[in-house]
Amino acid sequence: MRDWRQAWQAALYSPGGFFARGERPSSHFRTSPLVGPELAEALLELLSRLDFALGGPAALDFVDVGAGGGELSAAVHDLAPPALRRRLCVTAVEFQPPSLPAAVRVRPDLPERVVGLLVGHEWLDSIPCQVVEVHSGQTRVVHVDDHGTEAVGPPVTGPALDWLHRWWPEAERAEIGLPRDEAWADAVSRVRAGAALAVDYGHVMALRPRRGTLTGYLAGRQVPPVPDGSRDLTAHVAMDSCAAAAGGGVITSQAAALAALGLSSAAPASGLAATDPLRWLAETARAGRIAELTDPAGLGGFHWLLHGSMLP
Ligand SMILES: C[S@@+](CC[C@H](N)C(=O)[O-])C[C@H]1O[C@@H](n2cnc3c(N)ncnc32)[C@H](O)[C@@H]1O
């Protein structure tokens, strides 16, 4: 038995662990970069607004932290307009570097300095946390064995208890978000000019679940969270605590953010089907992908947390 954070960390990142052995998220769950090119298009729009606000620096970064298979990095590189691409440095940060076009840099750790846009797309939810539970009025650490059987551990104390009181006071069971807060604050601090964006499933104080959200994913199915390395383990992110740890930031929904960046799921004009059926087909498919990205009950309900002092 060990505490959930240690078990979760080992299950994902120790040798032979789920991500450490090179499992690609695309084999197990669908994320927005896998839907199609539209998320990359929206991020390029954000990047070009930042570029304008920054006065067109000689080198403009796009840093994709927790890049998984690198689909988002590759799409941003491929779809960048030529004038921007000449100055664009795309970096995929991933423990297990994916194979990507040579123009995309791949590294296992975050760069020291970013001028442009740093994105953590479904990164924070993959950072392991301690799990705690209230028993007879006392909040206790939850321990777990390799089969997922849990036991009550010692009382929660110190910074973990402070975090719980500040961010999740009504919890019967909760994931302690401190490691995510720290990781996000560190990532944001590396952006010297531009913006940092976290996109994830999450919650904020007013809508915090009472019993946490720790779960597993395997081959497209949601499965029990067994920390044996066989599956992804994840829990929703306390977006407001990450925002505060990094000094503020704006939280909105993916649906609202994509609309603000110009994506629309409106169907093409019906007359187009008769005059240009291939274009009508392509535009209908695109509208369907945007509808998936903006569905409030699905990806559209994801949170966007944006930090930046030089936003247009
Ligand atoms: C849930 S996947 C998301 C993949 C991709 N961003 C997407 O949305 O499709 C999280 C990825 O983050 C990686 N990861 C987690 N912490 C990391 C870190 N500190 N540095 C580099 N990669 C990390 C994991 O290896 C995993 O591939």
Side-chain angles (χ1 to χ4, degrees):
M1 285 275 178
R2 48 193 164 165
D3 90 40
W4 253 114
R5 185 179 177 193
Q6 294 168 328
W8 186 346
Q9 179 74 31
L12 296 190
Y13 302 115
S14 68
F18 182 79
F19 285 127
R21 65 170 178 266
E23 290 286 348
R24 291 292 170 228
S26 55
S27 309
H28 299 278
F29 41 86
R30 185 166 166 86
T31 64
S32 294
L34 304 174
V35 171
E38 286 76 16
L39 177 69
E41 286 174 22
L43 293 179
L44 278 164
E45 172 60 26
L46 179 57
L47 197 56
S48 76
R49 293 184 194 182
L50 287 168
D51 186 37
F52 180 76
L54 296 173
L60 187 68
D61 291 310
F62 178 85
V63 178
D64 178 11
V65 184
E71 295 86 356
L72 182 61
S73 299
V76 165
H77 174 265
D78 292 350
L79 296 174
L84 183 62
R85 194 184 305 160
R86 279 192 284 280
R87 292 182 293 116
L88 188 60
C89 303
V90 178
T91 303
V93 178
E94 179 52 60
F95 287 139
Q96 289 301 317
S99 63
L100 286 169
V104 177
R105 297 177 194 178
V106 182
R107 53 185 291 165
D109 55 352
L110 277 74
E112 277 301 312
R113 185 176 179 279
V114 176
V115 174
L117 180 60
L118 177 146
V119 176
H121 191 278
E122 292 205 29
W123 169 46
L124 295 175
D125 72 84
S126 71
I127 297 176
C129 304
Q130 196 174 52
V131 177
V132 303
E133 209 168 76
V134 177
H135 287 273
S136 309
Q138 192 178 39
T139 311
R140 312 284 290 261
V141 176
V142 179
H143 284 183
V144 65
D145 70 12
D146 291 349
H147 306 289
T149 303
E150 294 184 343
V152 177
V156 181
T157 56
L161 191 60
D162 295 343
W163 187 93
L164 193 71
H165 287 155
R166 168 72 182 85
W167 293 108
W168 209 328
E170 305 295 324
E172 292 163 6
R173 178 181 165 104
E175 299 88 22
I176 301 291
L178 276 174
R180 291 152 173 201
D181 293 0
E182 286 161 11
W184 186 239
D186 174 56
V188 172
S189 75
R190 292 164 191 258
V191 179
R192 300 294 187 266
L197 171 67
V199 180
D200 231 307
Y201 36 89
H203 37 63
V204 293
M205 184 73 102
L207 295 171
R208 211 80 83 200
R210 292 186 81 85
R211 293 201 53 79
T213 59
L214 176 64
T215 191
Y217 281 95
L218 179 66
R221 284 184 305 118
Q222 191 169 5
V223 292
V226 178
D228 60 359
S230 67
R231 62 203 64 197
D232 182 25
L233 299 173
T234 178
H236 286 52
V237 178
M239 302 299 289
D240 43 0
S241 78
C242 290
V250 175
I251 300 173
T252 188
S253 69
Q254 172 151 300
L258 292 182
L261 291 169
L263 289 194
S264 162
S265 61
S270 55
L272 191 62
T275 56
D276 189 346
L278 285 182
R279 191 168 147 215
W280 178 83
L281 263 182
E283 288 190 12
T284 301
R286 174 181 167 81
R289 293 191 296 271
I290 295 173
E292 181 176 351
L293 292 176
T294 55
D295 176 2
L299 295 173
F302 274 44
H303 292 79
W304 281 40
L305 165 59
L306 186 64
H307 299 257
S309 56
M310 304 188 69
L311 293 177

